[in-house]
Amino acid sequence: MSTRYISAKYDVSTLTVDYAGNDGTHLLRTGGTIAWRFNNPGNIRPVSETELIMGAIGIGVTKGNGAFLIFSSYEDGRAQKKSLLRRKYNQRTIYTMLAGIPDKKGKMVMGYAPASDKNDPKAYADSISKHTGFSTDTKLCDLDDAQLDKVLDAMEIKEGFNNQKSTRKEKLLATTGVVISDGAVPKPNFPAQVKIGDKTYEQKTDARGQLPRIAHTKPGEKVEVHLPTQDGGWKKELDFVMDGISAAHVLFNDLTSFLSPTAPKKAPAKPVEAKRQPIRYIVQKDDTLGKLATRFQTTVIEIKRSNPGIKENNVIYTGQVLGIYGVPPSLKPPVAPPAPSKESKTSAAAKPPAAAAGAARTANGKGAPLAVVPTDQKQAPWMLKAIDEAQTWAGKDEAVITKTENFHKNIGQSGSLADTPWCASFVNFCLKSSNTPYEASASSQFAVSSKKFIKIDKPVYGALMVMRNYVLATGKFAGTGHVTFVYGKTAGGDIAGLGGNQKDSIKISEYATTGDSARFKLKKVPMAQRFHAFYIPATYAEYAKQAGELATVNAVDVNKNLLKIKNAGVSKNESGR
């Protein structure tokens, strides 16, 4: 699969654009014209120096010429220029498209190359006319796409896109990416030592557990990555030799540290009774109210009283958030140490451990407070956001949701992408919200080619289920499809998937893992949808091994009682487009 560049940064001091590819490869492009350097044959400018628009992947601020958009390829840049001409100037002539046109009040509306911007629109229009054979008073709307392409060719010649060819330089660099995870979620702000040759660099992971990418600037050079150990030392966890192939690695480190600073103890003037706070618990597979009551040393009645949403049938749902007033499992009374003998009454070894003593003091209402380690809630943490979004919108249509929350924009996609299905952007938004690796992609197939995800044979809670469409007439895949989160399985063996763009809403739908989508078998619909594979974030690999079998759920029941969607009918393989 060819590299697609997904972000770009411009260094004005060296006139170099650093294009970052989806496979970790970096392309350094220097020299040439601004239009060539930025893959921007239309010299399209951003609204501001920080706002990406029109599918751009970066912004370059130049010396003396202002800011321009950077596109992933020449083809993308040209397509955006063509789209701009059709969208903004389609009703104008070649000349007024360049020079501008007065509005109803006689005020001049800016053109593509007005005289006020140090251009000569008449000479520009004449050059287009000479190249294409179209008169300067020809309206763009009267030109078909092939004829408009000729206009674009003429504009590129006039603007000198291919000038300064002798100064163009491109250098392709492979890189290696490293993510550090505890087996369930990435570890942010985690220290590491990266040794390149005889030099050692102290680094830390970002919010998504990623170390700065290691550029292969010296082929043949050895690289080592060391992580901290429990005893305060360092252990080599990865080594490789720089070559021409980009790579990605996930390092699993279960080193856990706790820091509990304590303020100086000062007795308050008046005793203040702390407000009782519930334990926030996320329901896991196979949980029941009875099991939770036992685990937290409380009763089913108390849990229901604290959570009015629980129905009379006592059913709770995976991913549901409960507030429980009880005792966390980590605060179970410690085993009492044996009573000291007379001979060892003053011996330090006979004294109870500090932690046990602290627990005893706290239980008696005296002494320093005891730190509480929360219960393990690492099961697919992104599902909490997915459920919250579904509850927030409660079955509302995409058109209503987009007015308030644009999932494309939330993951860094530029423009409105109004005509692009948003299933992938919703999935990536939920991953991003839990600080899990994600892709800034609106393609339902993003997990297939991304090194941040791995394919798994059996579905687990929170896995990404990827479907693909194919053309019935040819039997070939169309390169599009649908992606949803695995919530559970139905009694019939299908997957209950929680996702966006499922009948243009966020809900649970049922998806078959064999055969074609029933709704696509109608002769009027030329596309069919088939299950492709399950994927999980690579950082979640170790924890997923312990996930076990999926819970059997009723999709209609979950939509109604957990997600609060009224009249949510469910049919197989639902997607908005």
Side-chain angles (χ1 to χ4, degrees), residues 445-463:
Q445 309 299 299
F446 71 89
V448 178
S449 58
S450 173
K451 293 183 179 180
K452 298 175 184 177
F453 299 85
I454 58 175
K455 186 177 178 181
I456 56 176
D457 296 327
K458 293 178 63 177
V460 298
Y461 178 75

Side-chain angles (χ1 to χ4, degrees), residues 234-289:
W234 295 89
K235 180 183 178 183
K236 182 174 68 176
E237 298 288 355
L238 173 68
D239 63 72
F240 63 91
V241 175
M242 291 184 180
D243 56 21
I245 301 174
S246 294
H249 299 275
V250 177
L251 304 182
F252 297 106
N253 183 281
D254 58 3
L255 174 62
T256 304
S257 60
F258 299 91
L259 181 62
S260 182
T262 305
K265 301 179 180 63
K266 292 183 179 179
K270 292 182 179 180
V272 178
E273 184 177 347
K275 185 178 179 181
R276 192 182 180 205
Q277 295 292 332
I279 300 162
R280 180 177 180 270
Y281 181 78
I282 304 168
V283 176
Q284 311 289 292
K285 180 176 70 74
D286 298 331
D287 277 345
T288 66
L289 288 182

Side-chain angles (χ1 to χ4, degrees), residues 30-345:
T30 307
T33 62
I34 291 174
W36 174 81
R37 211 177 304 145
F38 293 172
N39 282 324
N40 187 350
N43 285 326
I44 303 173
R45 296 182 183 273
V47 176
S48 69
E49 291 186 0
T50 58
E51 185 177 357
L52 292 176
I53 59 173
M54 298 179 68
I57 61 171
I59 294 173
V61 181
T62 66
K63 288 182 178 178
N65 287 308
F68 295 90
L69 295 174
I70 304 174
F71 295 98
S72 63
S73 66
Y74 163 77
E75 290 75 17
D76 279 1
R78 183 175 169 109
Q80 292 297 343
K81 179 177 181 178
K82 188 173 184 179
S83 174
L84 176 64
L85 294 184
R86 284 295 192 201
R87 185 173 63 253
K88 190 172 181 179
Y89 304 108
N90 205 39
Q91 297 303 316
R92 299 193 194 181
T93 66
I94 291 175
Y95 174 71
T96 56
M97 175 265 292
L98 298 164
I101 194 170
D103 61 15
K104 293 180 180 179
K105 295 183 179 180
K107 185 178 179 180
M108 203 66 176
V109 179
M110 188 76 75
Y112 194 91
S116 59
D117 201 17
K118 300 179 181 180
N119 293 293
D120 184 343
K122 184 178 184 306
Y124 199 150
D126 287 341
S127 69
I128 294 176
S129 178
K130 181 178 180 180
H131 181 87
T132 62
F134 308 138
S135 65
T136 58
D137 60 358
T138 301
K139 284 190 172 183
L140 300 189
C141 61
D142 292 331
L143 301 175
D144 60 27
D145 280 353
Q147 291 172 323
L148 186 58
D149 279 330
K150 291 183 178 180
V151 173
L152 293 175
D153 292 340
M155 293 177 76
E156 287 182 20
I157 294 172
K158 176 64 178 178
E159 295 181 7
F161 175 82
N162 285 309
N163 290 354
Q164 304 177 41
K165 275 190 175 182
S166 61
T167 65
R168 292 181 181 179
K169 293 181 181 179
E170 289 186 324
K171 185 176 183 179
L172 205 58
L173 287 179
T175 63
T176 292
V178 177
V179 174
I180 302 175
S181 169
D182 65 4
V185 292
K187 303 185 77 167
N189 201 37
F190 193 81
Q193 287 185 347
V194 178
K195 296 185 177 182
I196 303 176
D198 58 357
K199 294 184 179 179
T200 299
Y201 302 89
E202 302 287 340
Q203 297 183 338
K204 286 189 177 182
T205 58
D206 63 14
R208 295 189 293 276
Q210 297 175 328
L211 292 174
R213 295 196 71 91
I214 303 166
H216 297 190
T217 53
K218 298 180 179 180
E221 189 87 272
K222 185 178 179 180
V223 180
E224 296 179 356
V225 178
H226 295 243
L227 301 184
T229 59
Q230 292 280 10
D231 60 4
W234 295 89
K235 180 183 178 183
K236 182 174 68 176
E237 298 288 355
L238 173 68
D239 63 72
F240 63 91
V241 175
M242 291 184 180
D243 56 21
I245 301 174
S246 294
H249 299 275
V250 177
L251 304 182
F252 297 106
N253 183 281
D254 58 3
L255 174 62
T256 304
S257 60
F258 299 91
L259 181 62
S260 182
T262 305
K265 301 179 180 63
K266 292 183 179 179
K270 292 182 179 180
V272 178
E273 184 177 347
K275 185 178 179 181
R276 192 182 180 205
Q277 295 292 332
I279 300 162
R280 180 177 180 270
Y281 181 78
I282 304 168
V283 176
Q284 311 289 292
K285 180 176 70 74
D286 298 331
D287 277 345
T288 66
L289 288 182
K291 290 180 180 178
L292 294 180
T294 300
R295 186 178 182 189
F296 290 93
Q297 300 179 32
T298 182
T299 66
V300 170
I301 293 175
E302 283 296 324
I303 295 177
K304 291 182 68 175
R305 182 178 291 128
S306 305
N307 299 274
I310 298 176
K311 303 296 182 182
E312 288 300 319
N313 59 8
N314 290 348
V315 175
I316 53 178
Y317 300 89
T318 303
Q320 183 176 0
V321 180
L322 300 178
I324 302 177
Y325 290 93
V327 180
S330 54
L331 283 188
K332 290 180 180 178
V335 177
S341 64
K342 291 182 180 179
E343 290 76 9
S344 60
K345 192 172 182 179

